[in-house]
Amino acid sequence: MAQKVHVGIVLDRSGSMEDCRTDAIGAVNSYLRQVKDDKDMEASVSLIIFDSQSIDVIRDKAPAGSCAELGAGEYQPRASTPLLDAVGHGVAVLDKRKAPDERCILAVMTDGFENASREDTRETIKALLD
């Protein structure tokens, strides 16, 4: 029997991601295909994109088999990077939608430059993940 899994992908769309925009879209779509093809999982996917202007859930627990790939028009790098806030938001999305018999996976794609979080700190994220 396949394990039920909710995969949350948190994708940085800050301005510094412009140089790797095409690669980021390709990496997300490659990961989505891997999740879809994994016969050991019955997966759903939430895709969260973020920058300092907003944190947006653009796929909300979509069944992996029918989850649309990320399109170029959906991903326009801009603004600054509230990485810690986005990770906190991603965990909250997984927590709110988690079924009792379901595992959760949080995948974060970023260039790693935190410069705009207002809600979370390294300490609050570490405690949340622990």
Side-chain angles (χ1 to χ4, degrees):
M1 179 178 218
Q3 169 75 45
K4 290 185 180 182
V5 179
H6 184 185
V7 178
I9 303 169
V10 177
L11 175 61
D12 182 351
R13 74 164 164 210
S14 65
S16 61
M17 294 292 286
E18 182 61 43
D19 290 341
C20 61
R21 180 176 180 269
T22 301
D23 291 337
I25 293 169
V28 167
N29 289 336
S30 176
Y31 185 61
L32 287 173
R33 286 189 294 274
Q34 288 175 10
V35 169
K36 179 180 182 177
D37 294 341
D38 189 331
K39 302 304 178 203
D40 293 327
M41 291 192 304
E42 180 183 324
S44 58
V45 176
S46 292
L47 177 56
I48 302 135
I49 57 176
F50 74 94
D51 59 42
S52 58
Q53 293 179 10
S54 65
I55 299 174
D56 302 308
V57 179
I58 62 171
R59 306 286 185 278
D60 192 3
K61 204 167 185 180
S66 61
C67 184
E69 291 191 358
L70 179 63
E74 296 176 289
Y75 183 69
Q76 301 295 325
R78 62 185 190 184
S80 298
T81 314
L83 179 57
L84 298 170
D85 289 351
V87 170
H89 190 86
V91 170
V93 165
L94 291 173
D95 282 348
K96 284 181 198 172
R97 292 160 178 77
K98 184 181 184 310
D101 60 342
E102 186 175 57
R103 285 186 42 227
C104 291
I105 296 171
L106 180 67
V108 180
M109 181 179 290
T110 181
D111 59 6
F113 298 115
E114 158 61 60
N115 62 14
S117 288
R118 294 190 171 133
E119 296 174 20
D120 287 295
T121 64
R122 290 179 193 274
E123 292 76 22
T124 62
I125 294 301
K126 181 177 181 337
L128 184 64
L129 296 175
D130 285 345

